[in-house]
Every structure is written in C-alpha cells, then in structure tokens.
Amino acid sequence: MSSSRLADGSIPAVAEIQTAAARIIRNVEKVIDGKSAAVHTALTVLLAGGHLLIEDVPGVGKTMLAKALAASVDCSVSRIQFTPDLLPSDVTGVSMFNQAERRFEFKRGAVFANIVIGDEINRASPKTQSALLECMEERQVTIDGVTYPLGSPFTVVATQNPIEMEGTYALPEAQRDRFMARISMGYPDTSSELAMLDSRDTTSPLSEIGAVVSVEELKAMMVGARNVFASSAVKEYVVAVVRATRDDRDLRLGASPRATLQLIRAAKAQAALHGRDYVLPDDIDSLAVAVLGHRLMPTSRAVGHHRQDSAPIIEEIVLRILAATPVPVSVAR
C-alpha cells in the first residue's frame, strides 16, 4: 500500500488491502504451520476492529498465533498473563500520588496498547475480567471519574483453555459478547507437525519475523474494510440468521444485536481480504460459527453427551440454521 495514498487520506482499494493482508498472512504462517483458516479469521477480526478469543487445549499455538499477528504490525503491543491474583489496576492502570508535585498521576496499565494479548484470560477473577469490559466496548478507561481514551487501533487477542477448569473463572456472557469471534486452533496435521520439529529444533521462528505493515497502513486497511459494500439483501440475510438463533428450540440464549453488527463487519473485512468490494452470503456462512458460537447457550436437552464441551453441538445448530435460511441471490452493487 503506497504511503502517498495514506498521506492524502483516501480510502484504499480492496486490491491494496488484499496485497497488504497477504504479507501479514505469509509472515504469520512462518510461525503457525497448517492453520490457514485460523490465521485468516484472526486477521479478519483485526481488520474489522474487533476482539478475538482463541480457545483450545494447551500447546497448540494459541499464544504463538497472537504474538505472530502482533509482531506483523509495527504498533504498540502488550501482553498480560492472567492469574488469580491479577488486579483490575494491573490491567487498566492506577492513580498514584506524586510526592514531589503533591498531586495524583495516572500510571497507565497494560491495556494501553494497540494490540493487547491476554493469556489464559479465564484464570483471572471475575472482577479483573470485568475491567476489560469498558476497554473492549468503548475503547476507553475510566479511573477515579477521569476517562482516558485508548489508542487506535485497539484489539484484544485473548486465549483460554476450555479443558482444565480447576482454578479458572468462566467468562460471563457479557464478557464473551465483547469478542467479535472465537476460534480454535486444533492439532496440526502430520506434515505440519514434522515441519515444526525441523523449524523449531534450535530457535523460535517468532524471533525471526518482523513487522510487514505499519500502524498507518493497518488503519487505512481497516477504513477500507469498513467501506466494503453490503447489499440490503445480505443485511436481511444476516438479521434472519441471528434472529433464528433466538427462536431455535435447542438454544436457551440466542445471539445479541451486537452479534448482528459484528457479523456484518467481519464479513466486510473478509470480503476485502479476498479482493472484493462487496459482501457475499458465503462470507456470512463462513464466519457465522466463529462470530455467533460463543454467544449461544444450548439447552440441557440439546447438550446431551457433549456436556463437557458444548462447542460441537453449537456449531451443528448454527450450520442447521444457515441451511434453513433462504440465501439472497442479488448481492453485488
């Protein structure tokens, strides 16, 4: 993406967004082997200005993906290791008294960065988890009645382990709803795992990658993604899918209006990644599970033998809803 285009404040073409995004994807895939879908979804969330929750078992590269994505952009990055004794002030900041000047000064917390990596977010207490609510939704922090705006762009990439429940605090519905999408890494295939043994035997590939886009380029890419066209038919399709989750017999909690908005934003970003200036129903279908899944709560009857992990049954429900929802025919400009 040319610097002159950034300087004059014009909206970049989707071809430029696609080219810059391809650089980021190639960079991240130097570290993450065989997880193209997860990498694409993570970048989609970043371009859409959302927050990402990466949920999976230990050792499959959750934190590595978050670090590689952050390292690919020349912007401020912070990492928070969530633990039971982590305080809200460790995240947001605290007002401290300056003895020399005899006044209170605000010491910024780790959340004041463009990309915030929250590792094992479900290990912190609910009080500390809730400190992120205002940050994630309103892009600001309020301490002692004073509001401090966060930087732009601002994205939280959080990880959690859904298997080990001892010493953890499940994210409440209000917290999960702030995340645009939830993805799982899954185990690598055989060839990817063999390649990992060769590439990481002596060094970490994360130390060998650098930024491939500037923060100004990322901002321009995000503006371009927001300006991707979504027809009335596509918007009606999104609303129909989301509303169907609220009436489904197997769900006791459907998707919120925020989910409707974030699904269309994510679809616009994905269209831009594919070099299109308009959204297709396929964009909605491919993102629906990631964007809606963590917001839905199945009934006890629907969960059945999946009681320890409801994700498979939720994915099945979302796919069933997509299959039953009429797809619009005319969606281009």
Side-chain angles (χ1 to χ4, degrees):
M1 193 177 302
S2 64
S3 59
S4 60
R5 237 184 130 72
L6 294 172
D8 62 19
S10 59
I11 299 173
V14 289
E16 295 176 296
I17 297 175
Q18 185 182 31
T19 300
R23 295 203 304 269
I24 297 176
I25 291 171
R26 286 194 300 269
N27 207 45
V28 174
E29 288 184 339
K30 293 177 182 177
V31 177
I32 305 297
D33 298 310
K35 295 299 172 186
S36 178
V39 173
H40 277 77
T41 303
L43 182 54
T44 296
V45 172
L46 180 62
L47 289 189
H51 308 292
L52 179 67
L53 180 62
I54 309 175
E55 184 179 275
D56 216 320
V57 296
V60 294
K62 300 186 299 294
T63 305
M64 188 70 77
L65 172 58
K67 287 182 175 180
L69 186 64
S72 299
V73 183
D74 186 16
C75 63
S76 59
V77 179
S78 67
R79 180 177 180 271
I80 307 172
Q81 181 64 56
F82 282 82
T83 56
D85 60 348
L86 188 73
L87 299 175
S89 57
D90 296 328
V91 176
T92 59
V94 63
S95 292
M96 301 183 65
F97 188 71
N98 187 322
Q99 292 280 4
E101 300 185 13
R102 302 192 63 79
R103 63 183 180 88
F104 282 94
E105 293 181 346
F106 178 62
K107 301 295 183 181
R108 298 189 171 201
V111 79
F112 283 86
N114 295 122
I115 299 178
V116 178
I117 302 172
D119 209 8
E120 295 187 281
I121 190 173
N122 56 335
R123 291 203 175 277
S125 68
K127 184 177 182 180
T128 301
Q129 291 174 359
S130 66
L132 280 174
L133 288 175
E134 181 186 16
C135 307
M136 294 172 67
E137 180 64 18
E138 302 175 40
R139 265 68 172 179
Q140 64 182 30
V141 170
T142 302
I143 303 292
D144 296 334
V146 181
T147 299
Y148 304 90
L150 297 173
S152 177
F154 173 70
T155 293
V156 174
V157 182
T159 71
Q160 69 173 3
N161 172 12
I163 304 301
E164 185 184 356
M165 293 292 103
E166 184 177 352
T168 65
Y169 304 85
L171 292 176
E173 288 75 14
Q175 185 83 20
R176 293 202 307 268
D177 200 41
R178 260 65 173 187
F179 287 98
M180 176 173 281
R182 178 187 65 183
I183 62 173
S184 296
M185 300 293 292
Y187 292 112
D189 56 32
T190 302
S191 59
S192 297
E193 198 159 6
L194 285 170
M196 180 189 69
L197 295 179
D198 293 331
S199 63
R200 303 183 190 181
D201 189 27
T202 57
T203 61
S204 170
L206 191 61
S207 61
E208 299 176 2
I209 66 171
V212 293
V213 299
S214 67
V215 68
E216 289 80 12
E217 286 178 307
L218 178 60
K219 287 180 181 179
M221 292 167 69
M222 293 171 69
V223 171
R226 283 197 299 269
N227 281 274
V228 168
F229 175 72
S231 69
S232 297
V234 166
K235 292 177 181 177
E236 290 170 3
Y237 179 61
V238 172
V239 170
V241 169
V242 173
R243 290 185 66 85
T245 67
R246 301 168 192 164
D247 301 326
D248 193 89
R249 65 186 183 277
D250 290 328
L251 295 174
R252 58 189 177 95
L253 178 66
S256 66
R258 182 187 287 118
T260 311
L261 181 61
Q262 296 203 342
L263 182 52
I264 199 71
R265 286 177 176 172
K268 287 183 176 185
Q270 178 167 278
L273 287 181
H274 292 161
R276 281 184 279 105
D277 62 356
Y278 58 91
V279 177
L280 291 174
D282 287 347
D283 296 316
I284 305 299
D285 291 349
S286 65
L287 290 165
V289 172
V291 176
L292 301 180
H294 60 293
R295 296 176 160 92
L296 307 179
M297 295 180 65
T299 62
S300 56
R301 180 185 64 83
V303 172
H305 66 280
H306 291 286
R307 188 167 300 278
Q308 294 299 320
D309 182 12
S310 61
I313 190 64
I314 289 178
E315 180 177 356
E316 184 180 310
I317 292 170
V318 172
L319 294 177
R320 171 168 56 75
I321 289 173
L322 291 172
T325 305
V327 179
V329 178
S330 178
V331 296
R333 293 180 185 272

